Structures are given as C-alpha cells and as structure tokens.
Amino acid sequence: GQDFIPGQRERVARGARRRRVLARISLQNLAALVDLSLPEYFNAATHFVDRNVDDGRGDSIAIECGDERVSYRQVAERVNRCGSALRALGLEPEQRVALILHDTPAFAYAFFGAIKAGLVPVPLNTLWRAQDYAHALDDSGARALIISEALLTHFQAIDRVDLPRLRHVIVV
C-alpha cells in the first residue's frame, strides 16, 4: 500500500522499536527495585481484613449495607468466628465451602472466614435455579454450604442424594 503521509511507515516502525526497548528497560528496572518474592505463607483474609485493624483502622467503617454499619474490627471478629465455626464442623484445609449469599456483610464474613480457615470459598450466583445449584455444588465438591435464608427454597428443591459430599448447611 501507499503511505498517506511520506515517511509514515518508517516513523511508526521507529516508534514501535523505541517502545519495545523502553518496555524492556522498564521491566528490568522494576525487577531490580521491587522484591518479587512471595512469603512462605500468605492468607488473603489476613491481608484484606486483619491488616486494617493492625494499621489502626479498627474503629473505621468497613461495610455499609442499608442502615447497618460495620467497623473493620467487627468484620475481623466475625470473620474469625465464621472461620472457627467452619473448622469446628470438621472441615479441613483446601475443602470447598459454597456460598449462596445475598450482598450483605454476611458474605464478607463467610468468604474471608473460609479463607482464614484455609478453606476454599465457592461463591455462587444468587439468581440461579435449583438445577444450577445442584450442578455447582456437586461439581465443586463443597463439603459445606452457607446460604441466605431467603434463598433456602432453591436449595430445598435439590435431592440431597445428588450431593453426597455436602455435609453441612448453614443458614444465615
């Protein structure tokens, strides 16, 4: 094809080469400046929940939901309570906990509580039908389900025989 502006192709090619060289230099500089190593143990709940209390924000509002206000300290306490309760049920690290919860503070407590306990939260869409939940619960191998009371009828429509690994249902 013909250039619309004389020399346009050469300028574009030079610009592209310059950007590639700068990108390589930038990545090398970044690697030299930043420690890219990972800690031996990392828990996302500690990072996202406990860190706020440790950094002095414990009494600040973390969650606003309708008229409810929850501080970072309250979130941390409730996350710990949930994680401890899940472990007390006999759940072991890396087992799945399905969550069928509305967007309320209880979701945060259950999600981060599972992570804090070393479990794997499996959030499920609250708009699904019973057959969708049955498939997801079976496929994930969830050992426990935490579900909003308003959504319980969907779960009750599932034949528990189809969920042989599910041991516990917690209604909130």
Side-chain angles (χ1 to χ4, degrees):
Q2 199 172 20
D3 288 337
F4 290 102
I5 302 171
Q8 179 181 6
R9 277 198 185 149
E10 291 79 17
R11 282 193 298 279
V12 170
R14 278 194 309 272
R17 279 193 301 276
R18 189 176 311 123
R19 284 190 296 279
R20 281 194 301 272
V21 169
L22 289 174
R24 268 197 306 271
I25 292 170
S26 296
L27 288 176
Q28 290 168 351
N29 291 344
L30 179 64
L33 294 173
V34 178
D35 178 15
L36 298 177
S37 63
L38 295 173
E40 186 174 350
Y41 297 101
F42 176 79
N43 189 300
T46 301
H47 177 76
F48 288 108
V49 177
D50 297 343
R51 178 178 52 96
N52 289 294
V53 176
D54 295 343
D55 289 348
R57 290 185 289 277
D59 295 326
S60 298
I61 300 301
I63 300 173
E64 290 186 28
C65 184
D67 293 334
E68 187 176 5
R69 306 284 181 271
V70 186
S71 72
Y72 285 105
R73 188 176 328 284
Q74 290 170 315
V75 170
E77 290 167 357
R78 294 167 189 174
V79 162
N80 290 339
R81 192 177 310 136
C82 181
S84 295
L86 291 168
R87 291 303 296 270
L89 291 172
L91 296 174
E92 297 177 7
E94 298 184 22
Q95 290 183 330
R96 289 359 180 214
V97 177
L99 308 176
I100 306 175
L101 295 167
H102 285 298
D103 294 335
T104 65
F107 179 87
Y109 311 149
F111 183 83
F112 287 114
I115 291 173
K116 189 98 179 249
L119 305 167
V120 180
V122 182
L124 302 177
N125 189 326
T126 58
L127 300 177
W128 282 355
R129 297 166 298 171
Q131 67 190 29
D132 301 316
Y133 291 131
H135 174 75
L137 290 166
D138 182 53
D139 190 56
S140 70
R143 298 296 177 110
L145 166 65
I146 304 175
I147 186 168
S148 294
E149 186 174 16
L151 299 168
L152 191 56
T153 55
H154 296 294
F155 174 72
Q156 291 170 331
I158 301 169
D159 187 348
R160 288 293 296 269
V161 172
D162 296 333
L163 304 173
R165 292 175 284 191
L166 186 65
R167 301 277 184 257
H168 308 282
V169 178
I170 301 139
V171 180
V172 295

